[in-house]
Amino acid sequence: MGPPAETDLYRDTWVRYLGYANEIGESFRAIVPISLVWASYGVATTYVTADAIDKGKKAAVAHEYDAGKTTRVAVAVVDTFVWQALASVAIPGFTINRICAASLYLLGTMTHWPLPIRKWVTTAIGLSAIPIIIKPIDRSVDFLMDSSLRKLYGAKEKHPSSS
């Protein structure tokens, strides 16, 4: 048995949930001011940026004496930022937005519930969809990046989603 694995603040602690802030914001879009939805994107984007910087710093330490240190650090930052931006912000935010919009529309056409009830049900649907969409989106972004960006720099390191 080897040494205990280092705890990654951005992947192994409660901080990871900050990456899901925008999905929560999108779920509540029908009942909160739009400024709160945009603020949730600010929280998620801050998380993505902090994780990318953290992975760059770790790459700098791991490759301190390597000739290609700068390139390895840049690859770590870009790979983490692009992966997180797609898998934690853009794709899930869009997905939850569309689920909620469709739910609100369908509830409006198929029920006679008052608008406040429809909005709260839409929020509940959006929140309940979050855990369902995470893994498929993570795997899809892995596939997308493995098929495109990672081919450019020959990434052989662990994917962000496998941490």
Side-chain angles (χ1 to χ4, degrees), residues 8-87:
D8 185 329
L9 175 67
Y10 297 96
R11 310 282 171 87
D12 303 325
T13 70
W14 66 268
V15 173
R16 181 158 204 250
Y17 296 108
L18 295 176
Y20 303 126
N22 65 303
E23 286 105 304
I24 294 168
E26 285 295 346
S27 295
F28 279 92
R29 180 181 283 266
I31 56 177
V32 299
I34 193 68
S35 59
L36 289 180
V37 177
W38 288 113
S40 74
Y41 275 88
V43 171
T45 302
T46 300
Y47 163 81
V48 167
T49 304
D51 189 28
I53 291 168
D54 178 65
K55 298 311 172 276
K57 287 179 179 179
K58 287 179 178 177
V61 170
H63 302 287
E64 186 173 0
Y65 301 108
D66 294 358
K69 174 184 172 182
T70 303
T71 301
R72 289 184 181 264
V73 169
V75 165
V77 170
V78 168
D79 189 79
T80 302
F81 186 85
V82 171
W83 190 93
Q84 289 281 22
L86 290 171

Side-chain angles (χ1 to χ4, degrees), residues 51-132:
D51 189 28
I53 291 168
D54 178 65
K55 298 311 172 276
K57 287 179 179 179
K58 287 179 178 177
V61 170
H63 302 287
E64 186 173 0
Y65 301 108
D66 294 358
K69 174 184 172 182
T70 303
T71 301
R72 289 184 181 264
V73 169
V75 165
V77 170
V78 168
D79 189 79
T80 302
F81 186 85
V82 171
W83 190 93
Q84 289 281 22
L86 290 171
S88 296
V89 181
I91 296 171
F94 175 79
T95 303
I96 297 298
N97 177 284
R98 295 296 81 205
I99 288 170
C100 290
S103 299
L104 189 59
Y105 173 78
L106 289 172
L107 288 170
T109 59
M110 299 173 67
T111 72
H112 295 293
W113 296 347
L115 182 59
I117 299 296
R118 293 194 315 260
K119 287 181 175 184
W120 277 103
V121 170
T122 295
T123 297
I125 291 168
L127 291 171
S128 65
I130 294 170
I132 297 166

